[in-house]
Amino acid sequence: MSKPLFASAALLALALPAHAVTLAQWNFNDNNLVVDLGTGTAALVGGTTTSGFNSGAGSSDPVQPGTGWSISTFAAQGTADATRGASFTVSTAGYENIGFSYDMRHSNTAPGSELVQVSVDGLNFLSLGTFTTVNPSGSTPFFARSVDLSGIPGADDADTLTFRVVATFGPGGSYESSAIGSNYGTSGTWRFDMVTISGDVISAVPEPSSYAMLLAGLAAVGFMARRRRG
């Protein structure tokens, strides 16, 4: 009984998942785009401009109110779909099961739909999904966003991985504002906070010889246990 028990426990330990590691995180509390944890770069995309570092009250940042990064200067109505926003670039070398998350606050006249994309070369982007915001009456809260890249080809163990969050047309084929009763405007703002890219350490797969050594060791342990009982 002892030998199979030892073997099962050892093989289970080899299969345990790694804990998620934060590869890069921006909390913007120092009022700049320098990454605050890990390694990475943040940038404007397609002509947007920074409109300040403003209150992060209501975001998931444990430091409250903290600060968020506001961007503006979106495209004219009906033009340049999915070309303006912000990007975040990291290396995922040595990591898998990549996750991308952030908190987003829309002003009432800002684009209500945001498209999340990813690229391994910074040129060709794969669309991962769209989030659409409708602000509650009289309020512009932060909303939590997250995207799981498990199973996305090329996202794991990449020298460079770039995420983009860009304004996109709504169902009507044009930009739609974030609040009912408000009109879309190019000077509307998006405010990012707690932008985080994470992953699991890629576990090395033991070579067949390693399994043989493991089993030999377990056999020796079982033999010693039987001798003690004898």
Side-chain angles (χ1 to χ4, degrees):
M1 293 292 293
S2 299
K3 182 175 177 181
L5 179 61
F6 278 124
S8 297
L11 293 175
L12 177 62
L14 289 174
L16 288 176
H19 295 291
V21 176
T22 297
L23 306 182
Q25 185 176 83
W26 292 260
N27 59 37
F28 307 110
N29 291 338
D30 45 10
N31 294 339
N32 62 44
L33 298 183
V34 177
V35 66
D36 299 291
L37 180 63
T39 303
T41 58
L44 296 163
V45 171
T48 53
T49 58
T50 294
S51 58
F53 292 90
N54 307 108
S55 173
S59 76
S60 61
D61 190 343
V63 177
Q64 285 291 309
T67 304
W69 175 34
S70 294
I71 68 171
S72 186
T73 315
F74 292 98
Q77 180 60 282
T79 68
D81 181 31
T83 61
R84 296 199 180 195
S87 69
F88 304 91
T89 301
V90 300
S91 169
T92 63
Y95 295 89
E96 62 183 354
N97 302 324
I98 307 303
F100 175 57
S101 64
Y102 60 97
D103 295 341
M104 172 69 87
R105 177 187 181 275
H106 299 70
S107 72
N108 286 332
T109 60
S113 295
E114 68 214 61
L115 175 64
V116 180
Q117 300 177 312
V118 68
S119 173
V120 295
D121 61 9
L123 298 173
N124 301 289
F125 283 85
L126 172 69
S127 294
L128 301 174
T130 300
F131 296 103
T132 297
T133 293
V134 178
N135 285 330
S137 178
S139 178
T140 53
F142 276 96
F143 292 92
R145 313 299 202 199
S146 63
V147 178
D148 180 7
L149 276 74
S150 299
I152 299 295
D156 297 344
D157 199 26
D159 290 336
T160 302
L161 194 67
T162 298
F163 293 90
R164 292 200 316 190
V165 182
V166 290
T168 191
F169 293 163
S174 61
Y175 296 115
E176 298 178 2
S177 66
S178 300
I180 296 173
S182 295
N183 294 321
Y184 167 74
T186 60
S187 60
T189 61
W190 283 357
R191 190 177 305 173
F192 291 89
D193 203 359
M194 296 302 290
V195 179
T196 305
I197 300 167
S198 59
D200 294 332
V201 175
I202 296 175
S203 300
V205 178
E207 297 292 334
S209 59
S210 299
Y211 279 118
M213 292 177 64
L214 172 63
L215 294 175
L218 293 173
V221 170
F223 175 74
M224 293 300 294
R226 287 195 296 274
R227 289 196 61 183
R228 291 194 188 98
R229 286 199 301 273

